[in-house]
Amino acid sequence: MATEPHSIPAVRPDLPANTSAILGVFGRSTLWIWVDRGLLSIGTLLAGLFLVRYLGPADFGHYSVALSAGVLVAVVMDLGFTRYAARAVAATPREGRSIMSLGLLTSVVLLLGEMVALVVAALLKNGYLAVICAGLILGNFARLHDLTGAFLRAELRSRAMVLGSTISRLGHIVVIFIVIGFRLSVLDLLLGYSLVAVPALALRLWQLWHHGPALRELSWRGFWSVSRHAWPFFSFSLSELGYSQVFVLTFSFVASQHEVGLLSAGLVIVSLLHQWASATADAVLPLMTRLYEAGRIRELLELRSRILEALLILSIPVVVVLFVFAPQICVLLGGKYAASAPVLRILALRAPLWILEGFLGGGFLNATNRVAGRRNAFAFALVVLVILTLVLGRIWGPQGAAVAFWLATFCILWAYIRLCSSIGGELRLASAFAATGSAALVMAALCLKLSSSMFWVLAIPPALLIYFAVLFLFARTRLLSAGRTLRECLVG
């Protein structure tokens, strides 16, 4: 497989010499990213449940389309700088200042244009267009938040992200309850989100003062140099964007806003699992980058194998809970979302593929400079996704769109397995899925049995015990290996 045209200079060998100690670094970094994206997201998620109930499927569908439009424009204007920074700063810190300078410049220019568009939409009294413009502004701030986060993760300073994220999360919760309490609109909600993003972003920029913008970096030559090096990451971002965001927009062409809202509700519920998987990939990326650039391929492959095995074993119980108890979980959003249960079940079955895609792609393939191959996989899957979404979404509505999403993700994972094999080390995913799948079936059966005689939440702990007991009986080596990996992540 071809690698990228730009080879980043080798980094100094500043990681520990053994895999156990590297797992300790990974564990600490992952812990803080999980706090940033997982623990802090719980409050926002709970508040978001009230928001979803307040908006209803139609307004929530409008809200989702605005967010998708904001992400679309932000990714296009990002030019791949965020993903490039996540790897480049880990390998060559001196490139950080030019990336930061040009990233801030493009955001300021974009923000001015978005604010003008919002004013024009308000003067024309076009509410739909105004909401889309507010979504574009929010997407711009979210892009800067991601860019600064990429710098901190690349420097193994994940703990420093938590304070800024705390400010942002608390601000979102306050905005949600103000909107609900005063019966405000979707436009007010998005503008409130943008307002509370400012102090959090200011704190992040202060933490990265050593990468602060410099006028000497703002030249066409510097812009062209960084853009050229970031091109593989930018082209991948475009293909991934089409896969993740254009999916909702494509479905909106063949469905009502109500059906878009039902599909979006299922995506929101599984978002925490996705956050957990992406946090793991972001934590492991700077470590794998350093190992790859230093030529420590054996440690790199061992790290990949051990983390992948632990991720798979830990994620399957969450998938079972989402699948079995989908009706009960969807009712938490309100009776209007009961029809989202079949969508959630399909998305739950997709979750293991999503986790593998995030870790193998966002971690291993990015670290080994196979971004072009990853981009090609997403581009092919995008074509599959758009066609299947239009066809299956028209026939079966949100369930058909969810099936299209599942099939497209499988195409990506299949391409990833081939890319990983070109570097070395067999993944052995078939045997891993066979072991965890058997335990998952037993767990699901017990969940269904117990939930008929008790409250569904109380059925989860005994079902978990059965899951790990079955693994201990029939896949003891895998379970003990995963346990050793988790222990070394904590104390290594």
Side-chain angles (χ1 to χ4, degrees), residues 287-303:
L287 301 177
M288 285 187 166
T289 298
R290 287 168 165 81
L291 291 175
Y292 179 73
E293 295 292 344
R296 298 168 61 179
I297 305 301
R298 183 184 64 81
E299 292 98 326
L300 173 66
L301 295 178
E302 182 182 357
L303 187 68

Side-chain angles (χ1 to χ4, degrees), residues 346-358:
I346 297 170
L347 294 176
L349 292 177
R350 174 186 175 272
L353 305 183
W354 203 351
I355 291 171
L356 293 176
E357 182 278 318

Side-chain angles (χ1 to χ4, degrees), residues 410-424:
F410 182 81
C411 293
I412 292 174
L413 186 59
W414 181 260
Y416 281 8
I417 293 173
R418 296 180 60 188
L419 284 169
C420 290
S421 300
S422 69
I423 301 169

Side-chain angles (χ1 to χ4, degrees), residues 44 51 208 337 412 489:
T44 309
L51 177 66
L208 294 168
Y337 292 96
I412 292 174
C489 286

Side-chain angles (χ1 to χ4, degrees), residues 24-339:
V25 178
F26 164 73
R28 289 189 294 274
S29 182
T30 303
L31 173 63
W32 288 112
I33 298 179
W34 281 351
V35 170
D36 176 56
R37 297 185 187 175
L39 187 60
L40 294 180
S41 295
I42 293 177
T44 309
L45 179 64
L46 293 176
L49 295 179
F50 291 100
L51 177 66
V52 173
R53 293 171 66 97
Y54 168 72
L55 293 177
D59 280 344
F60 187 65
H62 190 188
Y63 169 76
S64 300
V65 171
L67 292 183
S68 295
V71 173
L72 175 65
V73 174
V75 169
V76 171
M77 293 301 296
D78 181 68
L79 301 177
F81 289 178
T82 298
R83 294 186 181 278
Y84 177 59
R87 188 185 194 277
V89 175
T92 316
R94 64 176 178 271
E95 294 193 26
R97 186 177 294 273
S98 59
I99 298 173
M100 181 66 75
S101 300
L102 296 170
L104 288 175
L105 176 63
T106 55
S107 286
V108 170
V109 172
L110 179 61
L111 180 62
L112 292 176
E114 291 165 344
M115 294 179 67
V116 170
L118 177 62
V119 171
V120 172
L123 293 176
L124 295 176
K125 297 182 180 181
N126 189 327
Y128 187 87
L129 180 59
V131 169
I132 298 299
C133 292
L136 299 182
I137 294 174
L138 180 60
N140 195 0
F141 281 117
R143 176 249 174 168
L144 285 176
H145 187 82
D146 291 342
L147 178 64
T148 53
F151 272 76
L152 292 173
R153 292 191 302 271
E155 296 178 343
L156 299 180
R157 297 170 58 199
S158 301
R159 182 177 181 178
M161 299 190 305
V162 175
L163 182 56
S165 295
T166 302
I167 295 173
S168 178
R169 303 287 188 188
L170 291 176
H172 281 198
I173 293 173
V174 171
V175 169
I176 288 173
F177 284 108
I178 288 176
V179 168
I180 296 174
F182 290 92
R183 311 295 295 178
L184 301 179
S185 65
V186 175
L187 177 61
D188 298 318
L189 174 68
L190 294 173
L191 292 178
Y193 280 169
S194 299
L195 183 63
V196 299
V198 175
L201 180 59
L203 175 63
R204 287 277 183 90
L205 293 175
W206 176 77
Q207 291 172 323
L208 294 168
W209 62 270
H210 52 288
H211 292 297
L215 291 177
R216 66 176 180 274
E217 303 290 345
L218 302 179
S219 64
W220 279 111
R221 182 177 180 181
F223 179 80
W224 173 251
S225 176
V226 174
S227 299
R228 179 171 57 88
H229 295 157
W231 165 249
F233 298 86
F234 178 45
S235 56
F236 165 72
S237 294
L238 292 179
S239 59
E240 185 190 41
L241 173 69
Y243 179 75
S244 61
Q245 297 298 327
V246 175
F247 167 56
V248 176
L249 297 176
T250 301
F251 182 58
S252 67
F253 293 137
V254 295
S256 65
Q257 288 295 322
H258 178 82
E259 289 179 314
V260 173
L262 294 178
L263 177 63
S264 299
L267 292 171
V268 167
I269 293 173
V270 299
S271 63
L272 272 182
L273 189 59
H274 176 62
Q275 293 276 8
W276 176 63
S278 63
T280 303
D282 288 340
V284 81
L285 174 59
L287 301 177
M288 285 187 166
T289 298
R290 287 168 165 81
L291 291 175
Y292 179 73
E293 295 292 344
R296 298 168 61 179
I297 305 301
R298 183 184 64 81
E299 292 98 326
L300 173 66
L301 295 178
E302 182 182 357
L303 187 68
R304 182 191 72 180
S305 175
R306 294 183 61 180
I307 295 176
L308 192 60
E309 184 176 59
L311 279 177
L312 190 58
I313 288 177
L314 292 176
S315 65
I316 292 299
V318 181
V319 174
V320 173
V321 170
L322 289 176
F323 183 85
V324 174
F325 299 116
Q328 294 91 330
I329 294 172
C330 289
V331 167
L332 296 176
L333 300 178
K336 296 178 181 179
Y337 292 96

